[in-house]
């Protein structure tokens, strides 16, 4: 039940979910799930934008994380790594977008 990221707030950290699961909620409604190997906060951690959903752990989990400000400062001094990290974030976001599109397509049409 621990909240990692809150909707309409900047992500405090970049998280890597090594084990366990998390729910993504938008306005209190569950809109997705995350599992092992997924990144959390990658869409907003680099620019400080507000998260579009709340991420809550579903139970025991193992996480790796780095505070957002620390990550931004480190990347400023390691631009070669920043490019690779951006590419990884883009891949993760494409996967999440594809999953969301599939869920939306599977819903019954609105009447």
């Amino acid at each position: 039940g621990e909240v990692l990221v809150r909707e309409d707030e900047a992500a405090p950290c970049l998280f890597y979910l090594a084990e366990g699961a998390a729910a993504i909620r938008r306005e209190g409604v569950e809109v997705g799930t995350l599992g092992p190997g997924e990144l959390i906060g990658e869409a907003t951690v680099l620019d400080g934008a507000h998260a579009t959903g709340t991420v809550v752990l579903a139970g025991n989990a193992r996480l790796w994380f780095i505070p957002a400000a620390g990550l931004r400062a480190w990347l400023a001094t390691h631009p070669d790594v920043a490019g690779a990290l951006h590419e990884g974030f883009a891949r993760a976001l494409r996967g999440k977008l594809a999953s969301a599109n599939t869920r939306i397509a599977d819903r019954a049409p609105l009447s």
Side-chain angles (χ1 to χ4, degrees):
E2 185 172 343
V3 175
L4 300 179
V5 176
R6 293 189 187 281
E7 184 175 351
D8 297 325
E9 293 181 13
C13 301
L14 170 66
F15 297 92
Y16 172 78
L17 185 59
E19 295 175 10
I24 306 166
R25 297 181 183 149
R26 176 88 177 141
E27 297 178 356
V29 176
E30 187 170 318
V31 296
T33 58
L34 298 168
E38 303 234 37
L39 291 172
I40 301 166
E42 76 279 10
T44 61
V45 73
L46 293 181
D47 64 5
H50 289 177
T52 58
T54 296
V55 179
V56 182
L57 291 176
N60 290 336
R62 250 177 126 178
L63 301 164
W64 172 91
F65 68 93
I66 182 169
L71 177 61
R72 288 190 295 266
W74 190 82
L75 290 174
T77 63
H78 297 84
D80 53 327
V81 177
L85 191 62
H86 281 281
E87 287 179 25
F89 286 179
R91 279 191 304 276
L93 289 170
R94 278 192 301 274
K96 289 177 181 178
L97 179 59
S99 177
N101 286 341
T102 299
R103 282 193 313 276
I104 291 168
D106 289 344
R107 291 183 182 167
L110 298 174
S111 40

